Amino acid sequence: MAMSEVEMTKQQTALAEAGKKKKPVASTFKEMYLGPIVAFVLFISLWQLIPVVLGLPHYILPKPTDVWEATVSDWALLAEAIRITIFESVIGFLLSAVIGIGVSVLLASSKILERSIYPYAIILQTIPVVAVAPIVVIWFGAGFNSIVVISFLIGFFPVISNTLMGLNSADKNMDELFTLYNASRWQRMWKLRIPAAMPYIMAGLKISCTLSIVGAIVGEYVAGIGGGNGGLGYAITVAAIQVKTSFLFSCGIAAALLGISFYLLISLFSKMMLGSWHESAMKSEK
Amino acid sequence: MTIEQKQAVYFQNVSKMYNTGTIALNHFDFPVEEGEFISFLGPSGCGKSTALRMVAGLGSPTTGDVTVFGNTPEDLIKNTNDIAFVFQDANLLPWRSVLDNVLLPLELRGGNKKEKKEAAVKVLEMVGLKDHLKSYPRQLSGGMRMRVSIARALAAKPKLLLMDEPFAALDEITRQTLQMELLDIWEKEKMTVLFVTHNVYEAVFLSSKIAVMSARPGRLSSVIDVNLPYPREPGMRTDPAFSKYVGIASASLENHEQRKETV
Ligand SMILES: Nc1ncnc2c1ncn2[C@@H]1O[C@H](COP(=O)(O)OP(=O)(O)OP(=O)(O)O)[C@@H](O)[C@H]1O
Ligand SMILES: [Mg+2]
């Protein structure tokens, strides 16, 4: 995960910089990409050297070339695992987005409801979902259903807390303007509160999309595969038992790449939703 | 017919204490005739905004009564578009285009879509923004944003326009242009305007009557009838009669500052 975060910020600053000033392609390339590329090559070379120099066997620290070989030879297995994990986490994410936003709008439309339930939403958020995962498995059975539920649960709370915060972020003067024009509760919700909440909702979705992958993988650790084909989590468990360390690295890297792609996709979606009209889009993207 | 039914706005012995204990208004008594352009002039914190917000039903008096065209502000807001409010900052919805911002009050009240659009375009034309219907607020200058805000207030054809220091954040040139435009609109539309400012020149240039207020606790200290003819021209600012009123208004403000110091 740490790795993917580094990747993410790199991408983000790159995008922000590119948006700010248009420069000749050559110098932009030098400034933006040369550094990271050099760092990457150095890192890989070091990684390749260290096991050789220290004489570490490949099941302790595989070299990049070992990882590459493992990836190629077990590609069918890996691709299938990735496909399944994508499927599980996309469903988990969509559920947390739809249910999270829906529940928030319902909660926010009644002050009493919001006041009485919001504190629990916050407390629930602090429960490590991994800790309750076995309960989910008892309720939903081993396999796909439980995995999706765990992925959903992990992504759900960031969405709900961000959306609720956003729904209450509308400017006080604007709120009074709506009072002055005798706006109904739903007009206020649709024409003021939800549009004002958009940047917050998008921020919530960005957090939740990477978490949904974590959820799916953790879900597979805990819920097994229930007779079906296994995703990355299952592949990792199996590879760990067989001490296929190189393949473990392949799985880890695949998971990281998956997280990054998912995040970039949601960022793009967020830009499309906000970019053209929302001032805060520019602020929050930086 | 009682007296207050002839008034556009009637403050009857209004006092307001916030729950922090601040007394923002103290026995504020003031009638506003229909069709007048009234300025509330006073130092910061004297309760100008408090008074204006009460007229819009955004806060109610602790004691006393505010009536607008013989009704409570709340009733008027519920049933009519008679009251419009312009805030100090333009207060536009950033995700809506200029046209859609002006359409907002009309949208919230329901009604015929095409007519609404025509009305919105008409007021935008009136404030000189016909060419910016599709722009977004962030693409406009401060002065243009304020124009949109005024257009939005006018879109629903209010009978009473409330403005809380609408030009305070603008540069002098833009402010003077907008003052002229506002007077034009006022004369054309024959509305009543309540205008809050702490700029003496602005108050004299715009108003038919100035209510000078003093602070702590907020009360009405004097009312100045500005007998300068409308339409008012920019040249008037150098007129001796104009200076005379500026002198009267300033003296009225200062008197109270001094009196407070000696107390
Ligand atoms: N919501 C509030 N709660 C508590 N006190 C308030 C509130 N609003 C205003 N006050 C206090 O009431 C007094 C009058 O405030 P008000 O905003 O009406 O003044 P003002 O004349 O509009 O001042 P300014 O020229 O600075 O806008 C001030 O002392 C202010 O601190
Ligand atoms: Mg004020």
Side-chain angles (χ1 to χ4, degrees):
Chain A
M1 268 295 98
M3 199 177 153
S4 78
E5 264 160 31
V6 171
E7 283 296 325
M8 261 145 45
T9 43
K10 229 187 281 166
Q11 291 278 5
Q12 269 180 312
T13 40
L15 286 174
E17 301 278 68
K20 247 182 263 161
K21 45 206 160 180
K22 300 239 182 308
K23 278 200 181 161
V25 185
S27 80
T28 319
F29 176 82
K30 230 172 158 183
E31 269 177 35
M32 313 291 305
Y33 303 112
L34 197 59
I37 289 173
V38 169
F40 180 76
V41 172
L42 273 178
F43 173 73
I44 296 288
S45 324
L46 260 177
W47 180 9
Q48 181 76 27
L49 273 176
I50 286 174
V52 177
V53 172
L54 300 182
L56 295 171
H58 68 90
Y59 53 84
I60 298 291
L61 181 59
K63 299 186 290 293
T65 43
D66 298 332
V67 175
W68 178 251
E69 270 163 35
T71 309
V72 171
S73 66
D74 279 337
W75 175 247
L77 203 68
L78 186 63
E80 177 68 1
I82 292 174
R83 194 185 63 78
I84 289 169
T85 300
I86 290 178
F87 187 57
E88 291 160 346
S89 49
V90 164
I91 293 182
F93 170 69
L94 288 181
L95 284 178
S96 46
V98 171
I99 297 177
I101 295 170
V103 168
S104 308
V105 169
L106 277 182
L107 279 182
S109 57
S110 150
K111 262 273 158 277
I112 303 172
L113 259 184
E114 188 180 352
R115 280 220 197 93
S116 33
I117 297 181
Y118 186 63
Y120 296 107
I122 299 281
I123 293 170
L124 285 177
Q125 191 181 1
T126 63
I127 297 177
V129 173
V130 190
V132 299
I135 305 176
V136 173
V137 178
I138 291 176
W139 287 346
F140 293 89
F144 184 75
N145 289 352
S146 289
I147 296 167
V148 168
V149 169
I150 291 167
S151 164
F152 153 74
L153 274 181
I154 260 184
F156 173 68
F157 292 108
V159 176
I160 205 171
S161 59
N162 269 278
T163 308
L164 275 179
M165 206 191 294
L167 289 172
N168 288 308
S169 72
D171 190 78
K172 183 172 146 285
N173 282 339
M174 305 234 183
D175 200 56
E176 290 185 333
L177 196 75
F178 275 68
T179 308
L180 217 60
Y181 292 118
N182 198 35
S184 69
R185 187 190 298 256
W186 282 108
Q187 283 177 322
R188 206 183 287 264
M189 184 58 85
W190 284 111
K191 292 179 195 285
L192 178 64
R193 300 181 69 188
I194 291 179
M198 276 315 234
Y200 293 79
I201 296 177
M202 290 304 149
L205 293 185
K206 280 192 216 166
I207 300 171
S208 127
C209 73
T210 42
L211 283 181
S212 70
I213 294 173
V214 177
I217 292 174
V218 169
E220 284 175 359
Y221 290 167
V222 186
I225 52 169
N229 286 330
L232 276 175
Y234 176 70
I236 289 169
T237 328
V238 173
I241 292 168
Q242 301 172 347
V243 202
K244 286 165 70 178
T245 314
S246 305
F247 190 62
L248 277 176
F249 270 77
S250 310
C251 291
I253 292 168
L257 289 177
L258 204 58
I260 295 165
S261 337
F262 211 8
Y263 180 86
L264 288 180
L265 209 66
I266 299 300
S267 296
L268 198 71
F269 172 68
S270 147
K271 272 227 178 69
M272 269 162 49
M273 295 290 289
L274 306 175
S276 63
W277 45 264
H278 217 295
E279 276 172 306
S280 39
M282 269 88 91
K283 272 182 247 153
S284 64
E285 291 294 322
K286 258 176 222 163
Chain B
M1 212 191 233
T2 55
I3 298 176
E4 73 249 38
Q5 276 172 323
K6 286 190 222 148
Q7 314 296 340
V9 181
Y10 199 0
F11 294 91
Q12 287 172 90
N13 200 14
V14 170
S15 298
K16 172 77 179 183
M17 190 170 90
Y18 284 105
N19 46 20
T20 52
T22 311
I23 299 173
L25 284 176
N26 197 17
H27 300 295
F28 187 71
D29 235 322
F30 189 60
V32 177
E33 305 286 332
E34 220 166 301
E36 278 194 288
F37 197 122
I38 307 281
S39 287
F40 287 166
L41 177 66
S44 186
C46 72
K48 305 182 294 290
S49 299
T50 303
L52 203 69
R53 291 165 50 80
M54 277 180 193
V55 179
L58 302 171
S60 49
T62 312
T63 62
D65 259 317
V66 178
T67 50
V68 185
F69 303 116
N71 296 293
T72 64
E74 287 79 8
D75 278 349
L76 268 186
I77 282 170
K78 203 168 252 160
N79 303 311
T80 70
N81 276 331
D82 287 353
I83 303 177
F85 202 110
V86 176
F87 296 84
Q88 178 170 350
D89 43 41
N91 217 352
L92 304 174
L93 303 180
W95 54 85
R96 282 182 170 236
S97 69
V98 165
L99 179 63
D100 287 340
N101 262 291
V102 174
L103 273 170
L104 179 76
L106 305 170
E107 247 176 63
L108 293 175
R109 294 283 184 183
N112 180 308
K113 250 208 172 100
K114 190 152 163 276
E115 272 172 31
K116 282 188 285 192
K117 195 173 166 204
E118 276 165 18
V121 173
K122 207 180 125 220
V123 283
L124 278 166
E125 212 166 316
M126 204 149 54
V127 298
L129 285 178
K130 205 178 59 180
D131 300 331
H132 293 86
L133 301 185
K134 294 214 161 61
S135 306
Y136 282 86
R138 72 186 127 84
Q139 301 167 316
L140 304 178
S141 69
M144 286 156 99
R145 274 181 226 169
M146 189 41 78
R147 284 195 172 93
V148 179
S149 186
I150 292 172
R152 177 176 61 193
L154 296 174
K157 295 213 163 301
K159 282 158 57 184
L160 174 66
L161 181 59
L162 307 171
M163 306 181 93
D164 193 352
E165 307 198 35
F167 306 150
L170 304 178
D171 64 275
E172 189 56 31
I173 296 167
T174 313
R175 183 183 312 150
Q176 293 191 6
T177 321
L178 281 176
Q179 287 169 354
M180 286 304 299
E181 288 176 14
L182 177 61
L183 281 181
D184 274 350
I185 291 167
W186 171 65
E187 284 173 66
K188 249 185 253 152
E189 306 286 311
K190 312 226 179 317
M191 345 165 252
T192 310
V193 179
L194 277 192
F195 190 97
V196 165
T197 179
H198 46 225
N199 181 329
V200 179
Y201 297 90
E202 184 168 69
V204 173
F205 186 74
L206 293 173
S207 325
S208 57
K209 212 183 246 183
I210 302 173
V212 182
M213 296 172 68
S214 63
R216 271 161 287 255
R219 50 165 60 246
L220 186 64
S221 64
S222 62
V223 178
I224 302 168
D225 278 299
V226 185
N227 288 316
L228 297 171
Y230 290 100
R232 294 189 178 161
E233 305 297 340
M236 190 174 266
R237 293 177 199 273
T238 50
D239 200 297
F242 182 85
S243 310
K244 187 191 84 183
Y245 282 112
V246 169
I248 295 174
S250 306
S252 179
L253 276 175
E254 274 162 24
N255 265 339
H256 285 279
E257 292 306 305
Q258 278 166 8
R259 200 185 302 164
K260 236 177 17 203
E261 272 157 34
T262 54
V263 166

